[in-house]
Amino acid sequence: WYAWKDVAISSNGQLFVGLIDGQGFYYSTNYGLHWQQLPSKTYHLSSVSINSDGNWIITSSNSQGYVYVVHGALTNCPNYFKVSGVPSNSWTGTAISASGQYMAVVGTSSKIYSSSDYGSSFSAAADCPTLSWTSVTMSSSGQYLAAAYKNGGVYFSVNFGTTWYAAS
C-alpha cells in the first residue's frame, strides 16, 4: 500500500492527481483507471489542487518547503515550476479557482499567500496574522476564500484574498 497524502479531480472527472509520500506526484488522464508519475525532483508533497479543466495544478511540500505550479498537465511535456514570493515553510493546504488564475497556499507559522496571475507570483495577506494554518479553500471564481487554523477558527475573504476577516 502507498501512503497517499492528497488527491484532487478536475471538474469533468477526466484528470485525477495524487501525492504519494516519498514518491511524488501521480496523475491519471482516464478517470482514475491508470496512473503514472509526473517527472519531478520533489517527492515529499503535502497538498494538491487542480482547476476545472485540469490545465493548472498547485502543489506544496511540507518537508522541502516549496510551492509548485504545474501548467499543461494533460500534455506530454507539462511545465512544472517553483513559485516566487513564497518563503520556504511547511505548507499544509492549497486552493485554486476554476480558471486557474487564482491560487492560495497556507502553512504552519505562516501568512496566507495568494496569486492572481496563474501562480507566476504570490504575496502574503497583510491583514492576516501568522498562524498554524491547516487548510484553505476557494470558490470557483476565486472571489471567496476561507482558511482554517489549528486550535482556533477560520478567516475568510470576499475579494480574491485581498482582505481577510476573522469569522465570529
Side-chain angles (χ1 to χ4, degrees):
W1 294 95
Y2 294 110
W4 289 88
K5 299 291 282 184
D6 199 11
V7 292
I9 302 172
S10 63
S11 64
N12 70 359
Q14 181 181 2
L15 180 65
F16 282 53
V17 293
L19 308 176
I20 298 176
D21 192 33
Q23 295 190 29
F25 191 103
Y26 282 75
Y27 69 101
S28 167
T29 57
N30 57 4
Y31 304 93
L33 189 59
H34 300 293
W35 290 77
Q36 54 191 346
Q37 188 172 20
L38 179 70
S40 76
K41 297 177 182 136
T42 303
Y43 297 104
H44 296 284
L45 300 169
S46 56
S47 179
V48 65
S49 298
I50 185 170
N51 81 316
S52 66
D53 68 5
N55 201 35
W56 291 93
I57 298 169
I58 179 172
T59 185
S60 63
S61 170
N62 60 354
S63 64
Q64 294 168 321
Y66 301 117
V67 177
Y68 300 90
V69 170
V70 181
H71 178 245
L74 294 174
T75 66
N76 288 335
C77 189
N79 182 14
Y80 196 96
F81 60 93
K82 186 171 80 169
V83 302
S84 63
V86 178
S88 180
N89 197 344
S90 179
W91 300 107
T92 55
T94 57
I96 191 168
S97 66
S99 68
Q101 178 179 355
Y102 299 97
M103 301 179 187
V105 62
V106 296
T108 59
S109 300
S110 77
K111 297 271 192 179
I112 298 171
Y113 286 81
S114 61
S115 170
S116 61
D117 58 6
Y118 297 92
S120 292
S121 62
F122 280 73
S123 59
D127 59 350
C128 214
T130 297
L131 294 169
S132 227
W133 301 100
T134 57
S135 65
V136 63
T137 189
M138 73 173 55
S139 65
S140 62
S141 69
Q143 180 178 352
Y144 303 96
L145 295 94
Y149 59 96
K150 186 177 181 178
N151 301 324
V154 173
Y155 272 72
F156 67 95
S157 172
V158 297
N159 56 6
F160 301 94
T162 303
T163 310
W164 289 85
Y165 306 94
S168 55

